[in-house]
Amino acid sequence: MNAISLKIIAGTLVMLAVAGCTPTEEKKEAGAAPQSALQTVLQRGTLRVGDCLSFAPFGFYDKDGNPDGYDVDLAKALAKEMGVKLEMVNTTSANRIPNLQTNKVDVVFCNFTRNLERAKEIGFTNPYVVASEAMLVRKESGIKSAHDMAGKTIATVKGSTNGDEVRSMGIDVKIQEYDSSQAAILAVKQGQADAMIEDNNFLAYQAKLDPTLAVTNEALVPLEYNAFGVKQGDQAWLNYLNEFLFEINASGENARLYQKWFGDKPRYPLNPQF
């Protein structure tokens, strides 16, 4: 075998060796776990919390244009524990999940009820507040319960399933969707809708602000356990947030914040009673 043949064979073996190892290295890189939002937040120095800032007293803008409310106070406590700055990102019911999936926020509060359908797309922490659902109506309307709603209109927020509860009771109602909770409340006040279905905590606050409104004394659905929403698959971030909730609940700080904003102690225990 001459020298030229030996060089060709040697070159071929080198090419095969490179071709054989490159895919393995690429697979290793492709299979590497993405960095947790926990590390990202700490490195960035800013916590981005998605919150519905048109949903007082959970979230709203104060007279100076700054975010305020029950959820905002919890977000401030979380940012303080992490030693980072807080950025509140105004969010709607409809874009809560997309904002998590596209990394526009690190976590979403925004009256997020845990359920199996949403859990197919995102992760949930342990609950931080519990509620049922009732209806906000005008006092003069004569509406006392969902059974008085036949042929009437219910205002709901886009992205929610609140009106379906009444329909599931076999009551024929018209559902009108609005972009925000405030728009739905205004529709009730102005007679464009006969009722609004929402978290009873939120509705009690609205009736307190406007004495012409009343909240029906009923539970349209089983208790709802509201939690923080996170991007699916980030167990380290989920663990950290659950520990934060454990500590803020055990210390009594969460209950204190609830009473600050709703004027009463939490009505339901955070842990379901089986």
Side-chain angles (χ1 to χ4, degrees), residues 206-227:
Q206 297 303 321
K208 179 182 179 182
L209 294 178
D210 188 339
T212 68
L213 300 175
V215 181
T216 56
N217 186 24
E218 60 188 332
L220 294 174
V221 297
L223 293 181
E224 297 176 329
Y225 294 85
N226 294 344

Side-chain angles (χ1 to χ4, degrees), residues 37 44 48 97-106 231:
R44 187 198 303 134
R48 303 170 306 173
I97 291 177
N99 280 355
L100 282 171
Q101 294 174 327
T102 56
N103 296 316
K104 291 182 180 178
V105 297
D106 304 305
K231 193 172 183 180

Side-chain angles (χ1 to χ4, degrees), residues 144-163:
K144 302 297 182 183
S145 76
H147 296 286
D148 299 323
M149 288 298 296
K152 292 182 169 60
T153 300
I154 292 176
T156 66
V157 179
K158 289 179 181 178
S160 76
T161 59
N162 292 340

Side-chain angles (χ1 to χ4, degrees), residues 137-144 207 210-215:
V137 301
R138 296 184 302 281
K139 279 185 178 179
E140 62 183 23
S141 68
I143 298 172
K144 302 297 182 183
D210 188 339
T212 68
L213 300 175
V215 181

Side-chain angles (χ1 to χ4, degrees), residues 2-238:
N2 57 37
I4 294 176
S5 298
L6 288 172
K7 288 181 179 179
I8 292 173
I9 293 171
T12 302
L13 290 172
V14 170
M15 291 176 65
L16 288 172
V18 171
C21 69
T22 301
T24 303
E25 292 171 357
E26 289 177 351
K27 286 180 181 178
K28 184 177 180 181
E29 291 178 3
Q35 178 171 274
S36 170
L38 174 59
Q39 281 72 44
T40 299
V41 170
L42 293 173
Q43 290 171 6
R44 187 198 303 134
T46 301
L47 171 67
R48 303 170 306 173
V49 176
D51 188 42
C52 297
L53 295 173
S54 60
F55 197 57
F58 287 91
F60 61 97
Y61 289 104
D62 64 18
K63 59 182 178 61
D64 297 319
N66 298 313
D68 204 0
Y70 173 56
D71 282 348
V72 178
D73 276 356
L74 287 172
K76 288 177 180 177
L78 175 58
K80 182 179 179 180
E81 286 293 336
M82 298 185 75
V84 298
K85 295 179 181 179
L86 174 65
E87 178 185 345
M88 298 299 299
V89 180
N90 195 9
T91 304
T92 66
S93 294
N95 67 20
R96 290 176 296 191
I97 291 177
N99 280 355
L100 282 171
Q101 294 174 327
T102 56
N103 296 316
K104 291 182 180 178
V105 297
D106 304 305
V107 59
V108 169
F109 293 6
C110 198
N111 207 43
F112 230 164
T113 302
R114 292 162 51 122
N115 62 43
L116 288 173
E117 192 61 32
R118 288 170 176 162
K120 294 176 183 177
E121 300 183 84
I122 62 169
F124 283 109
T125 64
N126 295 328
Y128 73 99
V129 66
V130 185
S132 185
E133 289 189 0
M135 296 193 307
L136 183 72
V137 301
R138 296 184 302 281
K139 279 185 178 179
E140 62 183 23
S141 68
I143 298 172
K144 302 297 182 183
S145 76
H147 296 286
D148 299 323
M149 288 298 296
K152 292 182 169 60
T153 300
I154 292 176
T156 66
V157 179
K158 289 179 181 178
S160 76
T161 59
N162 292 340
D164 294 338
E165 279 78 34
V166 176
R167 280 182 173 169
S168 69
M169 298 168 67
I171 301 171
D172 182 23
V173 296
K174 178 182 178 182
I175 296 176
Q176 180 65 48
E177 292 188 330
Y178 293 87
D179 289 329
S180 68
S181 298
Q182 292 304 318
I185 293 167
L186 185 61
V188 174
K189 290 181 179 181
Q190 296 180 343
Q192 297 170 1
D194 298 290
M196 175 195 182
I197 297 180
E198 194 42 273
D199 178 315
N200 69 299
N201 298 320
F202 171 75
L203 297 184
Y205 176 77
Q206 297 303 321
K208 179 182 179 182
L209 294 178
D210 188 339
T212 68
L213 300 175
V215 181
T216 56
N217 186 24
E218 60 188 332
L220 294 174
V221 297
L223 293 181
E224 297 176 329
Y225 294 85
N226 294 344
F228 300 167
V230 299
K231 193 172 183 180
Q232 196 173 60
D234 193 344
Q235 192 61 48
W237 185 218
L238 195 62

